Amino acid sequence: MNDSYDNTITICNTFGLEIDCIESCTSIVRNKQVVIDLKLTDKRPPCPDCGNESVKIKGYVAKKINHSILNDKGCVLVYHARRYICPICHTTYYEINPFVFKRMKISSSVILCVMKDLTKPSETFVSIAERYHISPTTVASIFDATVNIPRAKLPRIMSTDENYAFYSQDTHSKYVCVLIDQQTGRPIDILPSRRYDYLDEYYSKIPKYEKDQVEFIATDMYEPYRRIIRKHFKHSLHVVDRYHVAQELNRKVDSIRLRIMKPYGCINYKDRTQEQKDAYYLLKHQNRFLFKHFNNAMCKDKKRLFDVTRKRYYNAHFRAYLNPYDIAQKLVSIHPDINKAWELKDEVTDFYGRNKFGWG
């Protein structure tokens, strides 16, 4: 156990606090990591809603904060945050703390150090991440959240995508919206939210003539994108990208599988006919084949998955030697909707395969 007074002085110097702001502070080394356990002095701030000063402590919440700037080892602050409750309006709220910015789990000191290092041309996301015991993704998110780069001009062909964000300016969204020039692959802008109201405000600020020059916009099936395109890009063709079309088709095939399988599952196993037992087994345990292309699915040996001559293996349920082709034939014989769904899915896949759309 390190000296409590020295720990208090270190924390106070790091965060610019007076020594009387710390009620208790201890540290230990655990799993090659310094763990500092601390509690702030009770300042008892008034209720932010009604102004009542006679508030009570509702409890404490231990918050782990990454603070790896004290030494070579990783460092974590275990901050016991007080939560107050107002006896008049029953509002609950945390005490104000100097350790983190809102909604962050990394200390403000670490973030400031990361931002400072990001200004050095010799530094990379990886090198900074190693220094402060955080991930390169976290460093990149801090960079995206603090560096304001003006957007590029809207291109003729634009696509949108979203990525999970470690930090977003929008407290209601965990995703950032990325606008991309489909022809060059270069980002146009990175938006902190994909919500309709934010996108509506964003595109409202872009001149109409620039939006009218966009001919194609590729997105997924997120409904607000469709509304935005109808409102702001009236001269553009909305394209749903191939990946999400395939994803939706697989969902539809699976919904048909579940619809057909459900009645069999409602029957007691002993009361099922052999045909019902076989159907339930196939739909429950062999359904992965439904999502393969019947003619084009290949294996590691570079042979077709559903080749009728492929080697057969013993199947305990059917007490017979079967290969994927045999299983597929049994699956489509369960119900005509299974066969039709599989065929339609493969037709769409073939359509994309035959038509290599160029954006030039």
Side-chain angles (χ1 to χ4, degrees), residues 76-223:
V76 173
L77 300 181
V78 180
Y79 160 54
H80 298 273
R82 286 185 185 84
R83 189 166 181 79
Y84 297 104
I85 183 169
C86 176
I88 296 178
C89 66
H90 304 291
T91 297
T92 59
Y93 57 98
Y94 283 105
E95 65 184 351
I96 298 173
N97 79 83
F99 305 123
V100 293
F101 295 120
K102 187 177 181 180
R103 298 178 65 246
M104 302 291 281
K105 293 184 178 180
I106 298 177
S107 75
S108 55
S109 297
V110 171
I111 291 179
L112 293 174
C113 289
V114 169
M115 291 167 59
K116 182 178 179 181
D117 289 354
L118 283 169
T119 63
K120 302 173 183 177
S122 60
E123 296 286 2
T124 65
F125 288 167
V126 174
S127 66
I128 295 174
E130 291 177 350
R131 182 175 304 121
Y132 298 108
H133 303 276
I134 56 180
S135 70
T137 303
T138 298
V139 178
S141 297
I142 294 173
F143 175 82
D144 293 338
T146 55
V147 178
N148 184 19
I149 301 176
R151 72 169 178 86
K153 183 180 178 182
L154 296 184
R156 185 171 70 91
I157 304 169
M158 184 172 71
S159 65
T160 66
D161 198 3
E162 57 271 343
N163 289 287
Y164 179 79
F166 159 78
Y167 172 79
S168 175
Q169 295 174 6
D170 187 340
T171 58
H172 301 288
S173 176
K174 295 182 179 180
Y175 294 88
V176 294
C177 181
V178 184
L179 309 183
I180 301 171
D181 185 328
Q182 186 66 31
Q183 291 178 292
T184 64
R186 296 176 180 175
I188 302 164
D189 207 351
I190 300 177
L191 311 180
S193 174
R194 60 174 184 163
R195 292 169 52 200
Y196 176 84
D197 53 353
Y198 180 87
L199 294 175
D200 184 33
E201 181 181 359
Y202 174 82
Y203 284 117
S204 295
K205 297 176 181 178
I206 297 178
K208 182 177 181 299
Y209 75 87
E210 188 175 342
K211 291 184 287 187
D212 288 346
Q213 292 175 358
V214 179
E215 298 179 18
F216 302 93
I217 303 178
T219 74
D220 59 23
M221 297 182 181
Y222 183 51
E223 196 276 335

Side-chain angles (χ1 to χ4, degrees), residues 61-76:
V61 177
K63 298 187 176 184
K64 292 184 177 181
I65 302 169
N66 189 319
H67 183 60
S68 301
I69 65 171
L70 298 181
N71 47 41
D72 297 344
K73 301 176 181 177
C75 180
V76 173

